[in-house]
Amino acid sequence: MRFFAGREKAKGTRIFYATDVHGSERTWRKFLNAAKFYEADVLVMGGDVMGKVTIPIIREGPGRYRATIHGRVEAIEGDAELDAARDRIGFLGMYHTIMDQDEYREVQGDTERVEALFRDLAIQRLESWIDLAETKLAGTGVRCYATGGNDDLTEVMAVMDRSGTKAFVASEGRTVDLDDRHQMISLPYVNPTPWNTPREAPEEELAAMIERLTAGITDFRHTIFNFHAPPIDSTLDTCPMLDTNTDPPSQVVVGGQPVLYGAGSTSVREAEERLQPMLGLHGHIHESQAAAKVGRTLVVNPGSEYGEGVLRGCLITIADGRVTSYQMTAG
């Protein structure tokens, strides 16, 4: 069934926003397909596009392999099973590489080689995703605006700045026009987390980054903040509190119940309260799907279920500096 079947398309610009796909091939394809399914004019990806893990597929003999997926060793026989394993690894948001046992032993103990391999595989997937966006959106007039997030390596995200793209627009750390009336600024960095991810910064540095991004903007009523970090205590940032004295960090439990708190950014909230942009697009906290108001600014976090192959998003219509409608989606 078509979304909003039978309704006349609303006037204005229709945005489909999603975030935190973490390398999942399935959710990226769904994201690109959302343009046609929801009749969106613009696609916006809010960050954390990279996967987190590389799975080695060990060649044991002609047509025989093994791989450890989610802690379970799986035997793989023949090309069909190999293709299925590779697809499933991509579905889960992970990367894979095929190697002999001797090569595996050699690479396993070399941290620099492991990290270099991971970066290369992440770059390859991101390049393939940009190619797919160019192919799928060709001739539609739809543009795909994308930024990274805190889990994304800057050297990998540099791939987005590829010349010659028509539908794919690199948006990280810059101002881009969504239509002839509205602009968007994107910030991938977040406030410190227990996980020590690649792109975190103290609140003072985040505030300075936001100040630089917004310095040339005079009309915030027609501006969207695509900031990966949600504003603190906004309901977009509610998650379990973690005890960082354990390795890995563990949930803080009181009376048998996990303690929840707002893990968002004070700098992001201060900027939205002070500048009052039309819309704030946020992510980072997967379990905290929500929409709320910070002053007159609508802020949304569609959440993420990338590991299940589910694409969560938010369909938003904007017109003349106003959000005229929005609806959370999942599929």
Side-chain angles (χ1 to χ4, degrees), residues 15-32:
I15 301 167
F16 181 81
Y17 171 67
T19 184
D20 295 273
V21 294
H22 285 285
S24 170
E25 293 274 20
R26 177 167 292 188
T27 51
W28 179 257
R29 290 176 179 273
K30 287 182 177 182
F31 172 65
L32 296 179

Side-chain angles (χ1 to χ4, degrees), residues 17-23 45-52 126 129 145-158 160 171-173 186-191 193 196-201 206 209 226-230 281-286:
Y17 171 67
T19 184
D20 295 273
V21 294
H22 285 285
M45 173 52 59
D48 279 0
V49 298
M50 282 178 57
K52 296 184 177 184
L126 184 52
W129 282 7
Y145 296 85
T147 182
N150 62 294
D151 277 325
D152 297 321
L153 298 173
T154 298
E155 56 265 46
V156 175
M157 293 302 99
M160 289 186 178
S171 306
E172 189 169 289
S186 300
L187 179 66
Y189 281 80
V190 305
N191 47 303
T193 78
N196 191 30
T197 57
R199 298 204 284 187
E200 301 177 9
L206 274 183
M209 292 178 191
N226 178 24
F227 293 175
H228 195 60
L281 303 176
H282 305 284
H284 185 42
I285 310 298
H286 297 186

Side-chain angles (χ1 to χ4, degrees), residues 224-258:
I224 296 171
F225 286 4
N226 178 24
F227 293 175
H228 195 60
I232 193 168
D233 296 331
S234 59
T235 72
L236 279 65
D237 64 330
T238 305
C239 63
M241 183 176 291
L242 298 179
D243 180 359
T244 57
N245 293 316
T246 64
D247 187 19
S250 57
Q251 284 191 12
V252 176
V253 178
V254 175
Q257 297 296 321

